[in-house]
Amino acid sequence: MLIARVVGSVVSTQKNGKLEGAKLLLAQPLDLDGKDRGPAVIAIDAVDAGVGDRVLLVLDGKAAMLALDRGLAGVDAAIVGVVDAVDIPGEPARR
Amino acid sequence: MLIARVVGSVVSTQKNGKLEGAKLLLAQPLDLDGKDRGPAVIAIDAVDAGVGDRVLLVLDGKAAMLALDRGLAGVDAAIVGVVDAVDIPGEPARR
Amino acid sequence: MLIARVVGSVVSTQKNGKLEGAKLLLAQPLDLDGKDRGPAVIAIDAVDAGVGDRVLLVLDGKAAMLALDRGLAGVDAAIVGVVDAVDIPGEPARR
Amino acid sequence: MLIARVVGSVVSTQKNGKLEGAKLLLAQPLDLDGKDRGPAVIAIDAVDAGVGDRVLLVLDGKAAMLALDRGLAGVDAAIVGVVDAVDIPGEPARR
Amino acid sequence: MLIARVVGSVVSTQKNGKLEGAKLLLAQPLDLDGKDRGPAVIAIDAVDAGVGDRVLLVLDGKAAMLALDRGLAGVDAAIVGVVDAVDIPGEPARR
């Protein structure tokens, strides 16, 4: 998984039936200093995250779909956790 | 998923039987400002998208195949939604 | 999928039993102008393609294996179609 | 798999139920000279590794989940071994 | 698959039970001229390859695990063939 920041959301009315009811969030991967790292991706929320949260981002179809509620499919990315802190021994905790 | 623009289509008469009836679209991934991001890919349409649409692009074999109609296989990318808007708090909606 | 050119083939006598009978082709991904894009990969032929053909290249284990004949496995790339034309509205067809 | 160094851990209280009980480690991929190679990722510990260990890092959803205890899912990376030595003939063993 | 050179091996005593008995090889991907291409990876041997061999390297969890003996799992890369020659029409065979 990558650490990412939820920076927005995506609205899609005309979508595949397997995605009905999915909450589409825009997640920007971060490096350990909290800076943007590569492009933002669209991920399905599997943990009730919101804009501004620092989260755990899964990038794998099978893993993402297993984390989601029964009935959702056709998905290759999911948000599976909200990060409280990153602890690196010898450095202050990054909350 | 990535946000992409449908920029064209691909014609293939001699193709694997698992792909019979698939609509092959050429999808160009975009960044948040709407500019091209990396190379275009061929994706199967799973939402009745057309050239010019801004779409949700899935890049994972299992996820793409689950989004498609029964009988299609051998596919690693699918278009699963048409994007109405990308909402980033503090910025105007990008429609 | 990516568009690629078949540029050669690979001979391997000592190979895993799951690959017996597989035709190993060397596929060079192309950009929309027909130029090389990134490194060549080894893919299993699933559509009776030959050297010189412009093809559809699948890069995903599950998708590649589903496109192949029963009994082949241990494969992460397959050639699933021969491209007749790439149609981009407003530009001449690229055949 | 890649060789990586465990450099820290991640605390996440609000997480998907499929991740309950998972130990989230921060793994930094290394090159053969022991230098950082690309960005750090979050991986689930499947071998009782700790901070400072040089480890084998799996980056694939299905592979990572198969290595973990029954009940964990929604995971795309796992630590599956502690590296004792890398042996390259003609060079001193890298322990 | 990629063409790679086996350049060494990895010793791991403390490893996940799904990897017991696996032979861990260090594989360096090559370009068509035989030069290093990107970083080396750790792959499980599924074809009795040895150091110095030019091999076919599979990079996909499901594909790699299907090529291995029953009982091995938690693996995202495997060596599935030894390359005898790469034939590119119009060029001398690269053995």
Side-chain angles (χ1 to χ4, degrees):
Chain A
M1 290 88 81
L2 300 178
I3 295 176
R5 178 83 59 192
V6 179
V7 296
S9 59
V10 171
V11 181
S12 169
T13 308
Q14 178 186 343
K15 60 176 176 289
N16 187 274
K18 304 281 174 59
L19 287 172
E20 280 304 324
K23 188 168 119 197
L24 299 163
L25 295 177
L26 189 63
Q28 171 62 57
L30 303 176
D31 66 18
L32 292 179
D33 295 318
K35 289 181 192 144
D36 291 1
R37 186 179 91 191
V41 302
I42 313 299
I44 308 292
D45 179 33
V47 70
D48 201 19
V51 171
D53 285 341
R54 191 168 51 150
V55 296
L56 291 173
L57 174 66
V58 162
L59 294 174
D60 178 274
K62 189 173 184 69
M65 291 185 283
L66 281 173
L68 294 168
D69 289 337
R70 179 189 303 271
L72 285 179
V75 166
D76 60 6
I79 292 172
V80 297
V82 175
V83 173
D84 299 319
V86 177
D87 290 319
I88 301 180
E91 301 188 15
R94 298 165 195 223
R95 292 174 194 281
Chain B
M1 290 87 81
L2 300 178
I3 294 176
R5 178 83 59 193
V6 179
V7 295
S9 58
V10 171
V11 181
S12 169
T13 309
Q14 178 186 343
K15 59 177 176 288
N16 187 275
K18 304 282 174 57
L19 287 172
E20 281 304 324
K23 187 168 120 197
L24 300 162
L25 295 178
L26 189 62
Q28 172 62 58
L30 303 176
D31 66 17
L32 292 179
D33 295 318
K35 289 181 192 143
D36 291 0
R37 186 179 91 192
V41 302
I42 313 299
I44 309 292
D45 179 32
V47 70
D48 202 16
V51 171
D53 285 341
R54 192 168 50 151
V55 296
L56 290 174
L57 174 66
V58 162
L59 294 173
D60 177 274
K62 190 173 183 70
M65 291 184 284
L66 281 173
L68 294 168
D69 288 337
R70 179 189 304 269
L72 284 179
V75 165
D76 61 5
I79 292 172
V80 297
V82 174
V83 174
D84 299 318
V86 177
D87 289 318
I88 301 180
E91 302 188 15
R94 299 164 195 224
R95 291 173 195 281
Chain C
M1 288 86 82
L2 300 178
I3 294 176
R5 178 83 60 192
V6 180
V7 295
S9 58
V10 171
V11 181
S12 169
T13 309
Q14 178 187 342
K15 60 176 175 290
N16 188 274
K18 305 282 173 57
L19 287 172
E20 281 304 325
K23 187 167 122 196
L24 299 162
L25 295 177
L26 189 63
Q28 171 62 57
L30 303 176
D31 66 18
L32 292 179
D33 295 318
K35 290 183 192 142
D36 292 359
R37 186 179 91 191
V41 302
I42 313 299
I44 308 293
D45 179 32
V47 71
D48 201 17
V51 172
D53 284 342
R54 192 167 51 151
V55 296
L56 291 173
L57 174 66
V58 162
L59 294 173
D60 177 274
K62 190 174 184 69
M65 291 184 284
L66 281 173
L68 294 168
D69 288 338
R70 179 189 304 268
L72 283 179
V75 166
D76 61 5
I79 292 171
V80 297
V82 175
V83 173
D84 299 319
V86 177
D87 290 318
I88 301 180
E91 302 188 16
R94 298 164 196 225
R95 292 174 194 280
Chain D
M1 289 88 81
L2 299 179
I3 294 176
R5 178 83 59 192
V6 179
V7 296
S9 58
V10 171
V11 181
S12 169
T13 308
Q14 178 186 343
K15 61 176 175 291
N16 187 274
K18 304 282 174 57
L19 287 172
E20 281 304 324
K23 188 167 119 196
L24 299 163
L25 295 177
L26 189 63
Q28 171 63 57
L30 304 175
D31 66 18
L32 292 179
D33 295 318
K35 290 182 192 144
D36 292 0
R37 185 179 91 191
V41 302
I42 313 300
I44 308 292
D45 179 32
V47 71
D48 201 18
V51 172
D53 285 341
R54 192 168 51 150
V55 296
L56 290 174
L57 174 65
V58 162
L59 294 174
D60 177 274
K62 190 173 183 70
M65 291 184 285
L66 281 173
L68 294 169
D69 289 337
R70 180 189 302 270
L72 285 178
V75 165
D76 60 6
I79 292 172
V80 297
V82 174
V83 173
D84 299 319
V86 177
D87 290 318
I88 301 179
E91 302 188 14
R94 299 166 195 222
R95 293 176 192 279
Chain E
M1 288 88 81
L2 300 178
I3 294 176
R5 178 82 59 192
V6 179
V7 295
S9 58
V10 171
V11 181
S12 169
T13 309
Q14 178 186 343
K15 61 176 174 292
N16 187 275
K18 304 282 173 58
L19 287 172
E20 281 304 324
K23 188 167 121 195
L24 300 163
L25 295 177
L26 189 63
Q28 171 63 57
L30 304 175
D31 66 18
L32 292 178
D33 295 318
K35 290 183 191 143
D36 292 0
R37 185 179 91 190
V41 302
I42 314 298
I44 308 292
D45 178 33
V47 71
D48 201 18
V51 172
D53 285 342
R54 192 168 51 151
V55 296
L56 291 173
L57 174 65
V58 162
L59 295 173
D60 177 273
K62 190 174 183 70
M65 291 184 285
L66 281 172
L68 294 167
D69 288 337
R70 178 189 305 268
L72 284 179
V75 166
D76 60 6
I79 292 171
V80 297
V82 175
V83 173
D84 299 319
V86 177
D87 289 318
I88 301 179
E91 302 188 14
R94 300 167 195 221
R95 292 175 194 280

